[in-house]
Amino acid sequence: MKKIHILAILLLLNLISCREDDTQKDKSAVDLYIERLQSGQYDAVEMPPFTAETIPDLLKYRNNTQRITQFPRNPLSSFSIPDCTIGMYALWTIESIRVTYTQIDQFPGRFPSLNPYVAEQTEDGLVRIDSSMAQQDVAKAYQVWWNRSQQVGLYDLMEINPLESTAYQWL
């Protein structure tokens, strides 16, 4: 009888551990990327080599306002940024996919610009914008841009700058 109890406990432990593994396995590469960024555990120096197929998963995070301090930074930037939001970083990652897809000039490490911030053109020149309103505007522009993927081919879509109809550009 004691052997049956031990066997049942071992079987139960095995089932529990399998469920945890399955949960981890069910997460997309994007979910794991964002999870690591949020926890400060993403330690790669480059952006991941995501493809256009991951854009819908990245767009899920476009409105996330959690601030992060550990993320891949463009080493060519002379402007050190202390933090950014998950949403802006997800959008910057999408921009990386877009410029990589069309082979538009980009920086080493898959960086689409110097920093994951946007700037607005004013009478005084470009002004860096780090606000929730700017994030909402950029997030909306990228969602509208992606929704066009049903109307135009993927390559044609990737040649369209999602921010072209806004006052913003990546800094």
Side-chain angles (χ1 to χ4, degrees):
M1 188 68 152
K2 197 173 191 176
K3 288 181 182 180
I4 292 175
H5 288 292
I6 292 173
L7 195 56
I9 290 172
L10 289 174
L11 182 60
L12 183 62
L13 288 173
N14 189 29
L15 288 174
I16 291 171
S17 67
C18 286
R19 282 192 210 135
E20 289 174 343
D21 290 343
D22 290 344
T23 301
Q24 200 69 348
K25 212 165 49 173
D26 289 342
K27 290 183 180 180
S28 71
V30 168
D31 292 335
L32 293 172
Y33 169 63
I34 297 295
E35 194 175 277
R36 288 184 183 118
L37 285 170
Q38 288 175 315
S39 66
Q41 295 177 351
Y42 190 83
D43 57 1
V45 295
E46 293 186 346
M47 298 180 90
F50 289 139
T51 62
E53 289 74 27
T54 60
I55 290 174
D57 286 341
L58 284 161
L59 281 170
K60 291 186 306 187
Y61 296 98
R62 70 188 181 279
N63 296 314
N64 187 320
T65 57
Q66 177 186 341
R67 296 201 81 78
I68 56 173
T69 57
Q70 186 173 336
F71 49 87
R73 290 172 169 81
N74 189 335
L76 299 179
S77 177
S78 61
F79 178 65
S80 177
I81 58 170
D83 63 2
C84 72
T85 65
I86 285 288
M88 286 303 276
Y89 207 83
L91 293 164
W92 201 49
T93 303
I94 293 169
E95 184 64 7
S96 172
I97 295 166
R98 187 182 78 80
V99 298
T100 301
Y101 191 89
T102 58
Q103 299 303 311
I104 295 172
D105 289 338
Q106 68 179 28
F107 298 100
R110 302 180 58 90
F111 295 105
S113 67
L114 289 171
N115 293 294
Y117 278 129
V118 291
E120 185 174 22
Q121 185 66 49
T122 68
E123 292 174 2
D124 299 325
L126 282 175
V127 176
R128 182 177 69 92
I129 307 292
D130 181 22
S131 70
S132 59
M133 182 59 79
Q135 181 173 332
Q136 289 172 12
D137 291 345
V138 173
K140 181 179 178 186
Y142 272 83
Q143 185 64 60
V144 167
W145 167 81
W146 183 249
N147 290 345
R148 291 178 66 186
S149 68
Q150 301 304 318
Q151 301 160 353
V152 298
L154 188 58
Y155 185 82
D156 291 335
L157 179 71
M158 294 298 180
E159 288 190 334
I160 298 169
N161 178 356
L163 299 180
E164 71 183 351
S165 63
T166 72
Y168 302 110
Q169 64 185 37
W170 290 105
L171 192 58

